Amino acid sequence: MGDDLASAAVPAHTSVARGSRNDNTRRHNLSSLLTAVHYGGPLTRAQLTRDTGLNRSTIGGLVTELAQLGLVVEDAAAETGAVGRPSLIVRPRRDVAALALHPDVDAIELGAVAIDGTVLARRRASVDAPPTPQDAAAFAWEAAREIADELAGLRVVGAAAAVPGLVAVDSATVVDAPHLGWRGVDFRELLAEALTLPVVVGNDANMGLRAEWSFGAARGVDTVVYLNGSASGIGGAALVGGRMLRGGRGYGGEFGHMMIRSDGDRCSCGRFGCLETELNAERLDAAAHDDAALDVLAATLAAAIANLECAFDPDLVLLGGYLGALYDVRRGLVDARVAELAFRPEAEDVAIARTALGGNRLLIGAAERAFAALLQDPAGVPLVAL
Amino acid sequence: MGDDLASAAVPAHTSVARGSRNDNTRRHNLSSLLTAVHYGGPLTRAQLTRDTGLNRSTIGGLVTELAQLGLVVEDAAAETGAVGRPSLIVRPRRDVAALALHPDVDAIELGAVAIDGTVLARRRASVDAPPTPQDAAAFAWEAAREIADELAGLRVVGAAAAVPGLVAVDSATVVDAPHLGWRGVDFRELLAEALTLPVVVGNDANMGLRAEWSFGAARGVDTVVYLNGSASGIGGAALVGGRMLRGGRGYGGEFGHMMIRSDGDRCSCGRFGCLETELNAERLDAAAHDDAALDVLAATLAAAIANLECAFDPDLVLLGGYLGALYDVRRGLVDARVAELAFRPEAEDVAIARTALGGNRLLIGAAERAFAALLQDPAGVPLVAL
DNA sequence: GTTAAAATGTTCCCGCAGAAAACATATACC
DNA sequence: GGTATATGTTTTCTGCGGGAACATTTTAAC
């Protein structure tokens, strides 16, 4: 009740909130239904009626419209054994998809991901040198053609790219991706031209968290801190009250550059004692069979988590990549240190967990980002044959 | 365009979003209008029409309803010199108010704040020892009676308390307010019983930022980090994409306990090198005429700001209390250090500013919190004669 | 001073969205 | 096979905003 108001965005200020009309209502309800079957898997009409609080007749009309838009199908109900007329099952259509691109230092990957989160097809190319934006766009075009041949009849909502680096708030410009060597590139335009599709570009850690939130270890949790250790450093992202932390310019969540040791080593970013320098892949490899060294690294991780906890008070801290691996081998130590350092009353421990999705995480997360527009306005976003 | 989707909360997941009905539309539009005149000051009907995009006739009906609810009044238009029929001016009514309570170590204060942000009346009592919750509630009752006599005809939406300590996400329980010695107190119930009003309880730093956002130095900015130095330590709060950072349990934004020196002193919270220990009021006092010592403290502040920037990427960092004072005397040093440490591309500097509201900040912020329910549903929240 | 133009308020009617009720249908249970 | 139960379907109703026509109030032009 009151809690929602505690964090609620108050509409106006400089700009007055747009007025709402009847068609907003319709859009909102279509969005609620499509979103529900997107995340919740197949749901019966009856469940949708109960969950939304809308009338049976209204649900009927909405589902019909979603079906006419080609977004969902209705199956005969599974035998439930319950009394009463069986309810039709509403499923998102698997031929509705998004393209997801992940250019990285050693490979480029493109996948087609269905609206139910399934990866339908993927193409991967290893590269010797980090790809240029043009390389990435060219690969995307070729891979998309192959996938189009493989999966006939796919209807695509757009494409999204998960880039390891800073992406501006416009979801278009790669401001600085040091490991790729991209700086100030309007990759959205490049990719959109190559694919002739609407494109959004985002930070890879953000998309990783998005995927885990939608279909992985953070399902249903709405306050999450995410830390992912990879060859290109530590990527961070946060979900705050059900919304992705973005920041004013799009650079929020860079927890890899949180200062964790004031007398630490110089980081590639120019500062000292950054988490991603104190706790990097090489140090972890070097400590692989050195118990004491592993303990030190685990303590560093715990200190970082404690710091993030007092800033974000998350319900869940999600660890991926080599940080997840470190957590696996030093779970007791990390948990204990975090509890010891925890600012909160000790009874209320914070959950720490490993990521659940494997190698498809970024593809799924990027696709999620591409689907966002459709989920928000199912009748307003056109689907394109791939 | 795409930016909104980048952070947008996707409705469903475990719980499907409630369906929307026509009366939601009405509620939304009433809310938009009341919110607009609340923050934007008096506005003409014509301006409301333009800003909301709603029809003239609709605005007419909505304003009439708000007037009938006793929330706004319409004045004759000021002479504008423009051609055409003059538009009526819509103002929030000043006799609509909220009570705001601030119990602190050395004093208790209660104020009546009008919906336009004006502090109509206040009562303050100095105390020798920190007040108990019962003391605070008793004072609130007495002060409220006095104010009721002073301001006849006031209609009150409720009361809010700004407490220096951890407040649970239920907006009721003071989990731990170390300086007051309150632990696990349901202060909402206590105060609601004393005042016979709906009550919300919140953290003082959160309410301080809320006030600055509504009427102070953070107006119209929707990504803000707030640091306030006071006798009871450093309070922190953040506004993330137009929403107050709250955290899973309500303990988010405790930036005073961010680790800023790994070999620092032990903090009262049990950890080492917390910002509020490394940069506390005594150290600042002691450094008052010691340039080198001030430089060190300013550098500490800059390091904290840089750390928060890479986590939140705020549009504005707002400094209050002794941190504001320190910033005033070492502005150049802090700005330079922050720019040097900034993770973002150097061209995009982050604004740092002092708080603008004075001693009324917490009263205004708490009142804002109390008004939130009314602003969200103008027709659904009853007003009570004080 | 009268008239025209412009901007806004007001009134009335329309279309759209969801609610509610009546009816139809499909299952389980007896 | 009959009944209770749950759900889908159809029809009717209400509420809300849009839009057009009209009324009102001002400035500007002559």
Side-chain angles (χ1 to χ4, degrees):
Chain A
M1 300 295 290
D3 345 357
D4 298 320
L5 296 169
S7 71
V10 182
H13 260 212
T14 42
S15 69
V16 178
R18 292 299 293 175
S20 179
R21 297 176 196 85
N22 275 357
D23 42 317
N24 286 44
T25 302
R26 186 70 172 185
R27 174 158 49 241
H28 175 265
N29 287 341
L30 285 173
S31 168
S32 297
L33 291 199
L34 186 58
T35 305
V37 297
H38 170 63
Y39 291 115
L43 291 168
T44 66
R45 280 202 193 184
Q47 284 172 297
L48 290 171
T49 304
R50 275 189 296 270
D51 292 349
T52 58
L54 294 173
N55 194 279
R56 281 211 296 274
S57 56
T58 308
I59 294 291
L62 290 165
V63 170
T64 304
E65 183 167 349
L66 288 176
Q68 281 170 348
L69 289 165
L71 299 172
V72 303
V73 286
E74 290 191 279
D75 291 342
E79 307 216 345
T80 147
V83 64
R85 177 173 177 175
S87 191
L88 294 174
I89 286 183
V90 184
R91 281 194 304 103
R93 279 182 65 160
R94 272 226 175 152
D95 55 354
V96 176
L99 297 184
L101 179 71
H102 175 220
D104 208 347
V105 279
D106 55 350
I108 320 179
E109 191 165 29
L110 182 114
V113 184
I115 194 171
D116 65 356
T118 325
V119 177
L120 301 171
R122 46 194 293 175
R123 290 293 183 281
R124 186 188 159 91
S126 294
V127 290
D128 297 329
T132 65
Q134 287 75 16
D135 290 345
F139 170 80
W141 179 79
E142 202 168 333
R145 300 246 328 189
E146 287 181 31
I147 289 177
D149 288 344
E150 182 183 334
L151 305 166
L154 215 56
R155 290 169 303 139
V156 175
V157 68
V163 176
L166 294 184
V167 177
V169 75
D170 61 5
S171 299
T173 312
V174 177
V175 175
D176 190 14
H179 297 88
L180 294 177
W182 298 8
R183 258 186 105 101
V185 180
D186 186 347
F187 190 54
R188 168 195 248 170
E189 196 182 333
L190 257 171
L191 195 55
E193 239 168 65
L195 296 173
T196 55
L197 283 174
V199 168
V200 285
V201 181
N203 171 269
D204 57 346
N206 268 279
M207 294 193 169
L209 172 53
R210 198 179 276 268
E212 293 287 341
W213 182 45
S214 296
F215 300 111
R219 270 186 82 96
V221 185
D222 78 349
T223 307
V224 183
V225 163
Y226 173 82
L227 287 172
N228 186 66
S230 76
S232 45
I234 292 180
L239 191 73
V240 175
R243 294 173 167 258
M244 295 293 304
L245 175 75
R246 198 182 46 180
R249 290 156 196 74
Y251 314 151
E254 286 291 343
F255 307 134
H257 294 277
M258 164 174 63
M259 192 274 289
I260 203 67
R261 237 185 95 188
S262 24
D263 58 344
D265 292 344
R266 190 186 185 89
C267 174
S268 62
C269 75
R271 299 155 69 183
F272 293 86
C274 290
L275 175 64
E276 89 168 31
T277 302
E278 297 301 311
L279 177 45
N280 61 24
E282 288 118 50
R283 290 197 187 180
L284 191 60
D285 283 345
H289 297 290
D290 179 345
D291 274 2
L294 272 179
D295 286 354
V296 170
L297 293 179
T300 302
L301 176 59
I305 292 174
N307 246 357
L308 289 168
E309 280 190 2
C310 80
F312 288 98
D313 181 30
D315 290 321
L316 176 69
V317 175
L318 205 54
L319 301 175
Y322 67 75
L323 295 179
L326 173 59
Y327 182 61
D328 268 353
V329 297
R330 282 295 183 278
R331 180 171 301 225
L333 197 155
V334 172
D335 285 350
R337 285 286 289 173
V338 168
E340 196 183 317
L341 292 174
F343 179 68
R344 77 196 64 246
E346 59 267 36
E348 308 180 25
D349 272 356
V350 154
I352 304 176
R354 287 213 52 170
T355 49
L357 303 174
N360 284 332
R361 192 191 315 150
L362 290 185
L363 295 184
I364 293 173
E368 280 296 294
R369 180 69 184 78
F371 282 127
L374 181 70
L375 290 174
Q376 192 155 308
D377 184 10
V381 175
L383 298 177
V384 188
L386 185 59
Chain B
M1 301 296 289
D3 347 357
D4 298 320
L5 296 170
S7 72
V10 183
H13 261 210
T14 43
S15 70
V16 177
R18 293 298 294 177
S20 179
R21 298 177 196 88
N22 275 355
D23 42 321
N24 286 44
T25 302
R26 185 70 172 186
R27 174 160 47 243
H28 176 265
N29 287 341
L30 285 173
S31 168
S32 297
L33 292 199
L34 186 58
T35 304
V37 296
H38 170 63
Y39 290 115
L43 291 169
T44 66
R45 281 202 193 184
Q47 283 172 298
L48 290 170
T49 304
R50 276 189 295 269
D51 292 349
T52 59
L54 295 172
N55 194 280
R56 282 211 296 274
S57 55
T58 307
I59 293 291
L62 290 165
V63 170
T64 303
E65 183 168 348
L66 287 177
Q68 281 170 348
L69 289 166
L71 298 173
V72 304
V73 286
E74 290 191 279
D75 291 342
E79 306 216 345
T80 146
V83 64
R85 177 174 176 173
S87 191
L88 294 174
I89 285 183
V90 183
R91 282 194 303 106
R93 280 181 65 160
R94 273 227 175 154
D95 55 353
V96 175
L99 296 183
L101 179 71
H102 176 221
D104 208 346
V105 279
D106 55 349
I108 318 178
E109 193 165 28
L110 183 114
V113 184
I115 194 172
D116 65 356
T118 326
V119 177
L120 300 172
R122 48 194 292 177
R123 291 290 183 285
R124 186 187 159 91
S126 295
V127 290
D128 296 329
T132 65
Q134 287 74 18
D135 290 345
F139 169 80
W141 179 79
E142 203 168 333
R145 301 246 327 190
E146 286 181 31
I147 289 176
D149 288 343
E150 183 182 332
L151 305 166
L154 214 58
R155 289 169 304 139
V156 175
V157 69
V163 177
L166 295 184
V167 176
V169 76
D170 61 4
S171 299
T173 311
V174 178
V175 175
D176 190 13
H179 296 88
L180 295 177
W182 298 8
R183 257 187 106 100
V185 181
D186 186 346
F187 190 54
R188 169 195 246 170
E189 197 183 333
L190 257 171
L191 195 56
E193 239 167 66
L195 296 174
T196 56
L197 283 174
V199 167
V200 286
V201 181
N203 171 269
D204 57 346
N206 268 277
M207 293 191 169
L209 172 52
R210 198 179 275 269
E212 293 287 340
W213 183 45
S214 297
F215 300 111
R219 271 186 82 99
V221 185
D222 79 349
T223 307
V224 183
V225 164
Y226 172 80
L227 287 172
N228 185 65
S230 75
S232 42
I234 292 181
L239 192 73
V240 175
R243 295 174 167 255
M244 294 294 305
L245 175 75
R246 198 182 46 178
R249 291 155 195 76
Y251 315 152
E254 286 291 342
F255 307 134
H257 295 276
M258 164 174 64
M259 193 273 290
I260 203 67
R261 238 186 92 189
S262 28
D263 58 345
D265 292 343
R266 188 184 186 92
C267 173
S268 61
C269 75
R271 299 156 70 183
F272 294 86
C274 291
L275 175 63
E276 88 169 30
T277 301
E278 297 300 313
L279 178 44
N280 60 25
E282 288 118 48
R283 290 197 186 179
L284 191 60
D285 283 344
H289 298 288
D290 178 347
D291 273 3
L294 272 180
D295 286 354
V296 170
L297 293 179
T300 302
L301 176 59
I305 292 174
N307 246 355
L308 289 168
E309 280 189 4
C310 80
F312 288 97
D313 182 29
D315 290 321
L316 176 69
V317 175
L318 204 54
L319 301 175
Y322 68 73
L323 295 180
L326 173 59
Y327 183 61
D328 267 354
V329 297
R330 282 294 184 280
R331 181 170 300 226
L333 196 155
V334 172
D335 285 350
R337 286 284 290 174
V338 169
E340 196 183 317
L341 292 173
F343 180 68
R344 77 195 65 244
E346 58 266 35
E348 309 180 24
D349 273 355
V350 154
I352 304 176
R354 289 214 50 173
T355 50
L357 304 174
N360 285 332
R361 192 193 315 151
L362 289 186
L363 296 184
I364 292 172
E368 279 297 292
R369 180 70 185 75
F371 283 127
L374 180 70
L375 290 173
Q376 192 155 307
D377 185 10
V381 175
L383 298 176
V384 188
L386 184 61

